[in-house]
């Protein structure tokens, strides 16, 4: 856990942070499939920000999730602000498979909310082809990781806010210098 927390604290890039979160979490629980879904702040639509599977490996994405938003397991996790372990997704009405041809590849599932500024912002989901693979111990572990991710997301958000503010200030300063130079030229 210490190594994961240390690793997550080394970046302020939100995309890289989410990919690392997925990678480290999957390795810790010994699975090869997972996703990180985040809420788009403007549209409130879920987007897939990171994916891990056998076909494409680990990848950063920005792909909207095109299912009925309110009926998904991810929304249940976000709305309840709590993690969940599902022994077999075939027995849970909240699970919606986006790819029916691969539905047998996902049986066991664990999902935890990701927070930023104490607001649920996304969901980390890991999958297993083995029903009953995940336990409540896994859920406690992943919930702890989620807390570390929360801090890292807040740091990334604050960094981006400061960077954007500094950029706007710099732009305003250059505009003021240009205006002052024009005024000076007119007065001479």
């Amino acid at each position: 856990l210490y190594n994961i927390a240390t690793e997550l604290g080394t970046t302020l890039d939100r995309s890289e942070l989410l990919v690392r979160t997925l990678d480290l979490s999957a390795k810790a629980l010994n699975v090869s499939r997972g996703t990180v879904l985040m809420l788009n702040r403007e549209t409130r639509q879920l987007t897939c920000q990171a994916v891990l599977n056998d076909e494409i490996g680990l990848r950063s994405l920005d792909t909207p999730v095109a299912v009925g938003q309110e009926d998904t397991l991810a929304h249940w996790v976000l709305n309840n602000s709590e993690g969940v372990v599902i022994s077999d997704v075939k027995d849970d009405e909240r699970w919606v498979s986006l790819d029916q041809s691969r539905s047998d590849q996902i049986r066991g599932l664990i999902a935890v909310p990701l927070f930023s500024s104490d607001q649920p912002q996304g969901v980390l989901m890991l999958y297993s082809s083995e029903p009953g693979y995940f336990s409540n111990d896994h859920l406690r572990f992943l919930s702890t990781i989620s807390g570390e991710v929360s801090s890292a997301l807040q740091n990334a958000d604050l960094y981006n806010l400061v960077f954007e503010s500094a950029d706007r200030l710099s732009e305003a300063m250059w505009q003021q210098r240009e205006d002052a130079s024009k005024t000076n030229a007119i007065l001479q």
Side-chain angles (χ1 to χ4, degrees):
L1 187 60
Y2 173 77
N3 291 339
I4 293 172
T6 302
E7 178 77 18
L8 293 178
T10 62
T11 184
L12 292 171
D13 180 83
R14 193 175 178 90
S15 295
E16 185 178 340
L17 171 65
L18 296 174
V19 167
R20 282 187 188 179
T21 297
L22 180 56
D23 185 38
L24 294 168
S25 299
K27 285 178 181 173
L29 273 58
N30 199 28
V31 295
S32 61
R33 298 185 78 82
T35 55
V36 175
L37 303 172
M38 299 297 284
L39 276 175
N40 180 300
R41 293 175 188 197
E42 288 85 35
T43 66
R44 304 295 294 169
Q45 181 180 11
L46 284 171
T47 59
C48 183
Q49 296 291 307
V51 66
L52 171 67
N53 63 39
D54 297 328
E55 294 82 32
I56 64 171
L58 181 65
R59 185 173 294 168
S60 176
L61 302 171
D62 189 13
T63 306
V65 177
V67 295
Q69 296 290 308
E70 298 76 32
D71 298 332
T72 64
L73 177 65
H75 255 280
W76 185 93
V77 170
L78 288 169
N79 291 335
N80 291 283
S81 296
E82 67 180 74
V84 65
V85 172
I86 298 176
S87 293
D88 193 339
V89 296
K90 290 186 177 200
D91 299 331
D92 195 295
E93 67 277 354
R94 297 170 294 186
W95 175 249
V96 177
S97 179
L98 298 178
D99 187 353
Q100 293 300 324
S101 67
R102 295 190 178 130
S103 63
D104 286 338
Q105 294 177 2
I106 298 174
R107 296 296 295 276
L109 179 142
I110 188 168
V112 294
L114 300 175
F115 294 88
S116 180
S117 303
D118 296 327
Q119 295 294 317
Q121 299 294 319
V123 179
L124 168 62
M125 300 172 83
L126 297 177
Y127 316 111
S128 172
S129 59
E130 182 182 326
Y133 180 82
F134 298 107
S135 68
N136 285 331
D137 288 339
H138 288 130
L139 182 60
R140 281 189 287 279
F141 179 77
L142 214 54
S143 294
T144 303
I145 290 173
S146 171
E148 296 299 324
V149 174
S150 175
S151 296
L153 282 171
Q154 279 186 292
N155 289 342
D157 290 345
L158 288 172
Y159 172 79
N160 287 333
L161 179 67
V162 168
F163 185 79
E164 289 169 4
S165 296
D167 196 39
R168 283 193 303 271
L169 252 137
S170 175
E171 197 172 300
M173 183 186 77
W174 282 108
Q175 184 63 45
Q176 187 177 20
R177 279 187 180 174
E178 188 177 302
D179 292 347
S181 181
K182 286 178 185 176
T183 302
N184 217 9
I186 291 172
L187 293 175
Q188 290 180 357

PDB file of all heavy atoms in Angstrom, residues 104-119:
ATOM      1  N   ASP A 104     -18.798 -13.324 -20.937  1.00  0.00           N
ATOM      2  CA  ASP A 104     -18.308 -14.417 -20.086  1.00  0.00           C
ATOM      3  C   ASP A 104     -16.938 -14.113 -19.494  1.00  0.00           C
ATOM      4  O   ASP A 104     -16.508 -14.793 -18.564  1.00  0.00           O
ATOM      5  CB  ASP A 104     -18.249 -15.725 -20.868  1.00  0.00           C
ATOM      6  CG  ASP A 104     -19.638 -16.306 -21.093  1.00  0.00           C
ATOM      7  OD1 ASP A 104     -20.551 -15.952 -20.317  1.00  0.00           O
ATOM      8  OD2 ASP A 104     -19.795 -17.102 -22.028  1.00  0.00           O
ATOM      9  N   GLN A 105     -16.240 -13.120 -20.033  1.00  0.00           N
ATOM     10  CA  GLN A 105     -14.917 -12.770 -19.519  1.00  0.00           C
ATOM     11  C   GLN A 105     -14.995 -11.995 -18.211  1.00  0.00           C
ATOM     12  O   GLN A 105     -13.994 -11.845 -17.529  1.00  0.00           O
ATOM     13  CB  GLN A 105     -14.141 -11.965 -20.558  1.00  0.00           C
ATOM     14  CG  GLN A 105     -13.816 -12.770 -21.794  1.00  0.00           C
ATOM     15  CD  GLN A 105     -13.105 -11.932 -22.834  1.00  0.00           C
ATOM     16  OE1 GLN A 105     -12.823 -10.759 -22.637  1.00  0.00           O
ATOM     17  NE2 GLN A 105     -12.804 -12.540 -23.966  1.00  0.00           N
ATOM     18  N   ILE A 106     -16.160 -11.475 -17.905  1.00  0.00           N
ATOM     19  CA  ILE A 106     -16.344 -10.725 -16.659  1.00  0.00           C
ATOM     20  C   ILE A 106     -17.418 -11.412 -15.835  1.00  0.00           C
ATOM     21  O   ILE A 106     -18.575 -11.471 -16.233  1.00  0.00           O
ATOM     22  CB  ILE A 106     -16.731  -9.256 -16.939  1.00  0.00           C
ATOM     23  CG1 ILE A 106     -15.630  -8.550 -17.707  1.00  0.00           C
ATOM     24  CG2 ILE A 106     -17.036  -8.539 -15.630  1.00  0.00           C
ATOM     25  CD1 ILE A 106     -15.976  -7.159 -18.155  1.00  0.00           C
ATOM     26  N   ARG A 107     -17.014 -11.922 -14.695  1.00  0.00           N
ATOM     27  CA  ARG A 107     -17.972 -12.561 -13.790  1.00  0.00           C
ATOM     28  C   ARG A 107     -17.903 -11.902 -12.417  1.00  0.00           C
ATOM     29  O   ARG A 107     -18.869 -11.393 -11.915  1.00  0.00           O
ATOM     30  CB  ARG A 107     -17.692 -14.064 -13.693  1.00  0.00           C
ATOM     31  CG  ARG A 107     -17.878 -14.821 -15.009  1.00  0.00           C
ATOM     32  CD  ARG A 107     -19.303 -14.817 -15.519  1.00  0.00           C
ATOM     33  NE  ARG A 107     -20.234 -15.514 -14.653  1.00  0.00           N
ATOM     34  CZ  ARG A 107     -20.452 -16.811 -14.652  1.00  0.00           C
ATOM     35  NH1 ARG A 107     -19.817 -17.592 -15.495  1.00  0.00           N
ATOM     36  NH2 ARG A 107     -21.330 -17.340 -13.826  1.00  0.00           N
ATOM     37  N   GLY A 108     -16.707 -11.910 -11.801  1.00  0.00           N
ATOM     38  CA  GLY A 108     -16.527 -11.227 -10.525  1.00  0.00           C
ATOM     39  C   GLY A 108     -16.177  -9.771 -10.757  1.00  0.00           C
ATOM     40  O   GLY A 108     -15.525  -9.432 -11.743  1.00  0.00           O
ATOM     41  N   LEU A 109     -16.621  -8.900  -9.861  1.00  0.00           N
ATOM     42  CA  LEU A 109     -16.387  -7.462 -10.034  1.00  0.00           C
ATOM     43  C   LEU A 109     -16.231  -6.799  -8.678  1.00  0.00           C
ATOM     44  O   LEU A 109     -16.882  -7.192  -7.702  1.00  0.00           O
ATOM     45  CB  LEU A 109     -17.581  -6.851 -10.767  1.00  0.00           C
ATOM     46  CG  LEU A 109     -17.533  -5.359 -11.025  1.00  0.00           C
ATOM     47  CD1 LEU A 109     -18.113  -5.055 -12.388  1.00  0.00           C
ATOM     48  CD2 LEU A 109     -18.273  -4.597  -9.963  1.00  0.00           C
ATOM     49  N   ILE A 110     -15.355  -5.808  -8.653  1.00  0.00           N
ATOM     50  CA  ILE A 110     -15.212  -4.961  -7.475  1.00  0.00           C
ATOM     51  C   ILE A 110     -15.152  -3.518  -7.977  1.00  0.00           C
ATOM     52  O   ILE A 110     -14.531  -3.237  -9.010  1.00  0.00           O
ATOM     53  CB  ILE A 110     -13.962  -5.340  -6.653  1.00  0.00           C
ATOM     54  CG1 ILE A 110     -13.928  -4.592  -5.322  1.00  0.00           C
ATOM     55  CG2 ILE A 110     -12.693  -5.142  -7.449  1.00  0.00           C
ATOM     56  CD1 ILE A 110     -12.888  -5.127  -4.355  1.00  0.00           C
ATOM     57  N   ALA A 111     -15.827  -2.616  -7.291  1.00  0.00           N
ATOM     58  CA  ALA A 111     -15.861  -1.213  -7.714  1.00  0.00           C
ATOM     59  C   ALA A 111     -15.832  -0.305  -6.491  1.00  0.00           C
ATOM     60  O   ALA A 111     -16.490  -0.599  -5.486  1.00  0.00           O
ATOM     61  CB  ALA A 111     -17.115  -0.931  -8.538  1.00  0.00           C
ATOM     62  N   VAL A 112     -15.062   0.766  -6.583  1.00  0.00           N
ATOM     63  CA  VAL A 112     -15.002   1.756  -5.504  1.00  0.00           C
ATOM     64  C   VAL A 112     -15.107   3.152  -6.113  1.00  0.00           C
ATOM     65  O   VAL A 112     -14.651   3.388  -7.225  1.00  0.00           O
ATOM     66  CB  VAL A 112     -13.706   1.649  -4.659  1.00  0.00           C
ATOM     67  CG1 VAL A 112     -13.669   0.351  -3.890  1.00  0.00           C
ATOM     68  CG2 VAL A 112     -12.466   1.812  -5.513  1.00  0.00           C
ATOM     69  N   PRO A 113     -15.723   4.079  -5.363  1.00  0.00           N
ATOM     70  CA  PRO A 113     -15.804   5.454  -5.865  1.00  0.00           C
ATOM     71  C   PRO A 113     -14.461   6.159  -5.721  1.00  0.00           C
ATOM     72  O   PRO A 113     -13.681   5.862  -4.819  1.00  0.00           O
ATOM     73  CB  PRO A 113     -16.863   6.096  -4.962  1.00  0.00           C
ATOM     74  CG  PRO A 113     -16.818   5.308  -3.696  1.00  0.00           C
ATOM     75  CD  PRO A 113     -16.421   3.913  -4.085  1.00  0.00           C
ATOM     76  N   LEU A 114     -14.215   7.082  -6.625  1.00  0.00           N
ATOM     77  CA  LEU A 114     -13.046   7.963  -6.558  1.00  0.00           C
ATOM     78  C   LEU A 114     -13.562   9.363  -6.270  1.00  0.00           C
ATOM     79  O   LEU A 114     -14.507   9.824  -6.909  1.00  0.00           O
ATOM     80  CB  LEU A 114     -12.267   7.939  -7.874  1.00  0.00           C
ATOM     81  CG  LEU A 114     -11.733   6.582  -8.303  1.00  0.00           C
ATOM     82  CD1 LEU A 114     -11.095   6.675  -9.686  1.00  0.00           C
ATOM     83  CD2 LEU A 114     -10.734   6.051  -7.289  1.00  0.00           C
ATOM     84  N   PHE A 115     -12.948  10.016  -5.307  1.00  0.00           N
ATOM     85  CA  PHE A 115     -13.400  11.331  -4.873  1.00  0.00           C
ATOM     86  C   PHE A 115     -12.403  12.410  -5.257  1.00  0.00           C
ATOM     87  O   PHE A 115     -11.221  12.152  -5.414  1.00  0.00           O
ATOM     88  CB  PHE A 115     -13.574  11.355  -3.352  1.00  0.00           C
ATOM     89  CG  PHE A 115     -14.667  10.461  -2.852  1.00  0.00           C
ATOM     90  CD1 PHE A 115     -14.409   9.138  -2.543  1.00  0.00           C
ATOM     91  CD2 PHE A 115     -15.948  10.945  -2.695  1.00  0.00           C
ATOM     92  CE1 PHE A 115     -15.410   8.306  -2.085  1.00  0.00           C
ATOM     93  CE2 PHE A 115     -16.963  10.122  -2.239  1.00  0.00           C
ATOM     94  CZ  PHE A 115     -16.694   8.800  -1.932  1.00  0.00           C
ATOM     95  N   SER A 116     -12.909  13.623  -5.374  1.00  0.00           N
ATOM     96  CA  SER A 116     -12.085  14.818  -5.491  1.00  0.00           C
ATOM     97  C   SER A 116     -12.848  15.903  -4.750  1.00  0.00           C
ATOM     98  O   SER A 116     -14.041  16.115  -5.018  1.00  0.00           O
ATOM     99  CB  SER A 116     -11.863  15.205  -6.947  1.00  0.00           C
ATOM    100  OG  SER A 116     -11.069  16.358  -7.023  1.00  0.00           O
ATOM    101  N   SER A 117     -12.207  16.536  -3.802  1.00  0.00           N
ATOM    102  CA  SER A 117     -12.849  17.552  -2.963  1.00  0.00           C
ATOM    103  C   SER A 117     -14.104  16.995  -2.294  1.00  0.00           C
ATOM    104  O   SER A 117     -15.150  17.634  -2.259  1.00  0.00           O
ATOM    105  CB  SER A 117     -13.193  18.795  -3.778  1.00  0.00           C
ATOM    106  OG  SER A 117     -12.042  19.317  -4.387  1.00  0.00           O
ATOM    107  N   ASP A 118     -14.007  15.785  -1.800  1.00  0.00           N
ATOM    108  CA  ASP A 118     -15.083  15.100  -1.079  1.00  0.00           C
ATOM    109  C   ASP A 118     -16.337  14.846  -1.903  1.00  0.00           C
ATOM    110  O   ASP A 118     -17.391  14.542  -1.357  1.00  0.00           O
ATOM    111  CB  ASP A 118     -15.449  15.846   0.212  1.00  0.00           C
ATOM    112  CG  ASP A 118     -14.304  15.861   1.204  1.00  0.00           C
ATOM    113  OD1 ASP A 118     -13.536  14.876   1.236  1.00  0.00           O
ATOM    114  OD2 ASP A 118     -14.180  16.849   1.944  1.00  0.00           O
ATOM    115  N   GLN A 119     -16.247  14.986  -3.197  1.00  0.00           N
ATOM    116  CA  GLN A 119     -17.368  14.690  -4.086  1.00  0.00           C
ATOM    117  C   GLN A 119     -16.999  13.482  -4.942  1.00  0.00           C
ATOM    118  O   GLN A 119     -15.894  13.416  -5.470  1.00  0.00           O
ATOM    119  CB  GLN A 119     -17.659  15.880  -5.008  1.00  0.00           C
ATOM    120  CG  GLN A 119     -18.133  17.106  -4.296  1.00  0.00           C
ATOM    121  CD  GLN A 119     -19.493  16.891  -3.667  1.00  0.00           C
ATOM    122  OE1 GLN A 119     -20.392  16.306  -4.255  1.00  0.00           O
ATOM    123  NE2 GLN A 119     -19.646  17.338  -2.433  1.00  0.00           N
TER     124      GLN A 119
END
